[in-house]
Amino acid sequence: RFSQVLSLLIPTQLQRVIHRALHRLFHTRSCLFVVLHVALQAAVFGEYTWEVFVYCWELQFHVLLLLLPYLLLAGNVGCFLLCSRADPGVVTKSNAASLVKVYAYDGVLFQRGLVCPTCTVEKPARSKHCSVCGTCVHRFDHHCVWVNNCIGASNAGVFLLYLLSLTATAAAVAAVTAAFLVQVLLLSNIRHGTYLDAQGREHAVEITFLVQHLFLTFPRIVFMLGFVILLTLVLGGYCSFSLYLALTNQTTNEWCKSRRFGGSPHLPLQPHDRPLTYKNIYSKGIWRNLKEIFNPPTVLERKKK
């Protein structure tokens, strides 16, 4: 019904333009989100440099505290470049035979003998064809539009560092900015004052009044702080989820598939309607799982084990 209503409200030609734009945005490799990502970082650090840094310097904040966001940003940019330019672990006809031997097939999420119809190669366990990049990726996690690349066996560790450094950068900017605003309130001694409301009644200063005062005095700084705090919370949640996947040796693709199969009593293609019991066979313990993210196993390593 929604599509029928939409077709009545939007002309056919405009629908085609919107469809092409959405397809190009989310189903083909595009630098748009990379540009947006860089623009947001430039806007935040521009405001931090020209206002927060200068004010904090005048208030004699410790220089290491003021430089911490820049140091974290440098590490984040390095991880971003490595993650976006690295080979995620593309499965080709020349390496498919060896990659098939790296991970065992669990018989639930990954079946032996399946061939990718697009790449015409046998699909190793834990691999998936990415429709955006047009390739099969070994230990496929997801396609990240922010780095314009797939996340797979070869760059999963760098991507985790990228997420951690990005979260730490946002948190550092938020902490320094919040410390500056608190220092301003302490120096002004406004929190011990009073104000008159519209009816002329006197009230003690409350938190709402202090926030309004700061917003009127430093509107750009307060707006940036709110944005960075929200960003820190969102990134912190995603980082926690990514760390959970790393410590349990799962990928985003596997986690989503296991949730979907978990709701089904039987798996098609299973002989004799055997009940589906999914178990993560790839977890080897917290430390070995974490090590595998940064040092993916090879065929020789698996044979030794």
Side-chain angles (χ1 to χ4, degrees), residues 35-255:
V35 174
L36 178 60
H37 167 223
V38 173
L40 288 174
Q41 280 191 329
V44 169
F45 272 88
E47 179 62 26
Y48 175 81
T49 302
W50 296 115
E51 292 207 65
V52 177
F53 185 90
V54 174
Y55 288 137
C56 289
W57 183 267
E58 293 176 354
L59 293 174
Q60 298 182 339
F61 275 56
H62 199 287
V63 64
L64 290 180
L65 179 64
L66 297 179
L67 293 178
L68 180 60
Y70 296 105
L71 297 176
L72 292 171
L73 177 65
N76 178 251
V77 170
C79 292
F80 168 77
L81 292 175
L82 289 174
C83 192
S84 61
R85 300 181 66 86
D87 175 11
V90 176
V91 181
T92 63
K93 293 183 178 180
S94 59
N95 66 9
S98 60
L99 292 179
V100 165
K101 303 175 184 177
V102 175
Y103 290 112
Y105 292 87
D106 62 2
V108 179
L109 301 183
F110 306 104
Q111 306 288 336
R112 184 181 298 276
L114 295 181
V115 176
C116 175
T118 304
C119 302
T120 64
V121 295
E122 184 178 357
K123 299 176 68 172
R126 311 192 77 180
S127 68
K128 185 179 183 298
H129 182 83
C130 175
S131 59
V132 179
C133 295
T135 57
C136 283
V137 178
H138 190 224
R139 199 185 182 279
F140 177 85
D141 191 276
H142 70 288
H143 181 88
C144 179
V145 295
W146 298 105
V147 300
N148 199 24
N149 198 6
C150 279
I151 308 303
S154 301
N155 63 350
V158 180
F159 180 74
L160 184 59
L161 292 178
Y162 163 75
L163 278 181
L164 291 172
S165 61
L166 187 60
T167 306
T169 302
V173 172
V176 175
T177 305
F180 160 69
L181 294 177
V182 170
Q183 187 70 7
V184 168
L185 292 176
L186 293 176
L187 292 175
S188 65
N189 207 28
I190 192 176
R191 59 196 178 93
H192 298 300
T194 59
Y195 71 96
L196 298 177
D197 61 14
Q199 286 74 32
R201 290 174 296 184
E202 189 176 16
H203 297 275
V205 170
E206 301 172 347
I207 295 179
T208 305
F209 180 85
L210 294 177
V211 173
Q212 290 176 349
H213 171 73
L214 289 174
F215 186 79
L216 292 174
T217 310
F218 307 102
R220 292 191 299 273
I221 294 178
V222 174
F223 179 78
M224 182 196 73
L225 177 61
F227 171 76
V228 175
I229 289 176
L230 178 61
L231 187 63
T232 302
L233 294 175
V234 173
L235 288 173
Y238 187 43
C239 263
S240 300
F241 175 68
S242 298
L243 280 173
Y244 162 74
L245 293 180
L247 295 176
T248 56
N249 205 331
Q250 297 182 80
T251 65
T252 304
N253 176 55
E254 293 165 2
W255 185 85

